[in-house]
Amino acid sequence: MTIFALIGTAWSSIGGNRLRTGLTLLGIIIGVAAVIALMSIGRGAQEEITSRIESLGSNLLYVRPLDGELTLDDALALVDPVFTPSIVRVAPEVSTGGSVTYRSTETFAQVAGVTPEFADVRNFEVASGEFISAAHVENRRNVAVLGSQTSEDLFDGRDPVGVDIAIAGIRFTVIGVLESKGGTAFGNEDSRVLVPLTTAFYRLGGQRTAAGAITVSLINVQADGERIEEAQQEAETVLRLRHEITDTDDFIVDTQQSVIDALSETTGTLTVFLGAVAGISLVVGGIGIMNIMLVSVTERTREIGIRKALGAKRRDILAQFVTEAVLLSLGGGLLGVGAGVVASRVLDGFSLAGSELTTVFSGDIAGLALVVSAGIGLFFGIYPAARAARLHPIEALRHE
């Protein structure tokens, strides 16, 4: 029997009971649509995180303490035309957290002490007011720049520039509000409050080393152009010399790309997990195909006997029922792809728990879903097909 004859016979058999066929297809349709929709959400999250990290600035390095401490002097030592010619700017941070209040309104925010270079290194734009200046840092002024979300939480859309707020019970004057950046690997940038680094240290509970140096939580480093690897090596060399390290580093220098790669690996794993969870419904759909094929074999036992009596071979019967199962799964898969594409488009921009979903559909997701659905149809269709092929023609003809 030719492939076209097999497909024609299978199509006729499938169309004989449209309601049953439709219900069987429904399981595959739901499974494929769920796989595509959830994997599109995972891909969207991956691209959203990458774009947000890249929006922090270009050519960035992040120096963090590992088993030791980083100091303000370490940060200043990284800007040296002789030892670190590939480094353009550094922006140390002193991080803390606490309640921020305006009158009776209170919110929790990440408070960071920064220098004027922070805005350029991390690519922050001021929506209103001004950023922290060198004079603010030198004079330890009680001024603050609010992230867009913190400003919204406290002032509900009103311009807060010039208004006094309280951070950990200490009065600060708002001098600016930042443009929105959203969540990144470093938390929600919009829920930040930035104050002068010296103010954060002396008035919000900064720490010193045993030698009396000011400790910092993070040093943001901006490389010169594309000289990221050179800047990383120079920063590591300077810090090893300053910390007198001969064995294991007590700090870590991450590049922006390494952060993106690490998060991409994590979100990639999450995407696969979401696809696997949705794939369970495909397995359920496959079980439905097996069930309907077993029913079909029972109903068509006499037909199988007649075909065998007329010369049909075992492989012909096997091929016919396998073809029917694969056609069912592929048909459901194609319809599921259409439903999945529609679902991913509908979910794009959908607000969930205060954040908008981003979905990214690609052909490889659809191809994978189709291959899996066809494989499931083949897998769950083999047993009913083999059972049909094993029927003895005389016993089959006696079946009522």
Side-chain angles (χ1 to χ4, degrees):
M1 184 180 290
T2 65
I3 184 66
F4 297 106
L6 277 174
I7 294 174
T9 304
W11 184 262
S12 300
S13 300
I14 291 172
N17 193 325
R18 295 182 181 179
L19 178 60
R20 189 169 65 185
T21 299
L23 293 174
T24 305
L25 288 175
L26 190 59
I28 299 296
I29 292 171
I30 293 173
V32 171
V35 168
I36 290 176
L38 290 180
M39 292 192 73
S40 295
I41 291 173
R43 289 276 182 90
Q46 189 171 359
E47 291 197 5
E48 183 73 11
I49 290 172
T50 299
S51 65
R52 286 185 177 181
I53 293 175
E54 290 174 345
S55 73
L56 294 177
S58 59
N59 309 326
L60 289 184
L61 302 172
Y62 310 103
V63 185
R64 299 182 181 84
L66 197 57
D67 296 320
E69 296 173 310
L70 290 175
T71 66
L72 181 59
D73 293 333
D74 288 332
L76 298 176
L78 293 179
V79 186
D80 190 312
V82 177
F83 293 102
T84 58
S86 301
I87 293 177
V88 179
R89 299 182 184 89
V90 297
E93 291 185 44
V94 174
S95 296
T96 181
S99 63
V100 182
T101 58
Y102 170 66
R103 294 180 179 175
S104 60
T105 305
E106 181 178 10
T107 186
F108 185 87
Q110 180 186 1
V111 181
V114 300
T115 59
E117 292 79 12
F118 182 85
D120 292 327
V121 173
R122 292 287 292 272
N123 197 27
F124 274 93
E125 298 288 341
V126 177
S128 64
E130 62 177 323
F131 197 72
I132 294 165
S133 67
H136 294 143
V137 176
E138 183 178 353
N139 298 318
R140 307 175 191 173
R141 295 285 302 278
N142 283 21
V143 295
V145 177
L146 305 182
S148 60
Q149 186 61 53
T150 303
S151 176
E152 181 67 27
D153 292 342
L154 292 176
F155 296 96
D156 195 23
R158 302 187 301 275
D159 187 1
V161 175
V163 177
D164 289 341
I165 61 173
I167 303 175
I170 301 173
R171 179 177 295 180
F172 284 76
T173 301
V174 178
I175 61 171
V177 178
L178 298 172
E179 293 279 2
S180 176
K181 270 188 172 290
T184 67
F186 305 97
N188 189 348
E189 300 289 341
D190 295 340
S191 294
R192 278 193 169 209
V193 176
L194 305 180
V195 300
L197 187 144
T198 50
T199 306
F201 177 77
Y202 287 104
R203 299 182 181 176
L204 294 177
Q207 296 181 344
R208 291 183 181 271
T209 64
I214 297 175
T215 61
V216 297
S217 309
L218 174 69
I219 303 175
N220 303 280
V221 178
Q222 187 176 38
D224 182 11
E226 300 298 324
R227 301 169 65 183
I228 298 176
E229 291 186 5
E230 294 91 332
Q232 182 178 9
Q233 293 172 359
E234 292 165 5
E236 290 172 346
T237 300
V238 168
L239 292 176
R240 285 170 188 150
L241 290 172
R242 287 186 54 82
H243 294 193
E244 300 179 352
I245 292 174
T246 57
D247 188 11
T248 304
D249 292 341
D250 61 358
F251 61 88
I252 184 170
V253 181
D254 285 327
T255 65
Q256 189 182 53
Q257 188 59 46
S258 66
V259 175
I260 291 174
D261 291 342
L263 287 173
S264 295
E265 183 178 350
T266 302
T267 54
T269 302
L270 176 61
T271 300
V272 172
F273 175 74
L274 289 174
V277 170
I280 295 174
S281 57
L282 267 178
V283 175
V284 174
I287 294 172
I289 289 177
M290 176 184 280
N291 180 57
I292 207 66
M293 294 305 298
L294 287 172
V295 172
S296 181
V297 169
T298 302
E299 290 180 345
R300 295 158 61 190
T301 300
R302 188 173 181 82
E303 174 195 331
I304 295 169
I306 293 172
R307 292 192 59 192
K308 281 195 168 187
L310 293 175
K313 298 180 180 179
R314 181 173 179 177
R315 65 171 178 267
D316 295 327
I317 304 299
L318 182 68
Q320 178 187 344
F321 281 89
V322 168
T323 303
E324 289 181 21
V326 173
L327 276 181
L328 279 171
S329 60
L330 270 180
L334 289 170
L335 293 173
V337 167
V341 172
V342 172
S344 66
R345 295 289 184 268
V346 171
L347 291 173
D348 191 25
F350 183 79
S351 181
L352 181 65
S355 60
E356 287 190 356
L357 292 178
T358 300
T359 61
V360 175
F361 172 78
S362 58
D364 61 328
I365 296 177
L368 176 63
L370 279 176
V371 169
V372 171
S373 65
I376 284 177
L378 183 63
F379 177 80
F380 285 100
I382 285 177
Y383 173 72
R387 183 174 175 179
R390 285 197 303 265
L391 288 174
H392 193 280
I394 296 176
E395 293 180 358
L397 287 171
R398 290 176 178 172
H399 182 79
E400 293 295 337

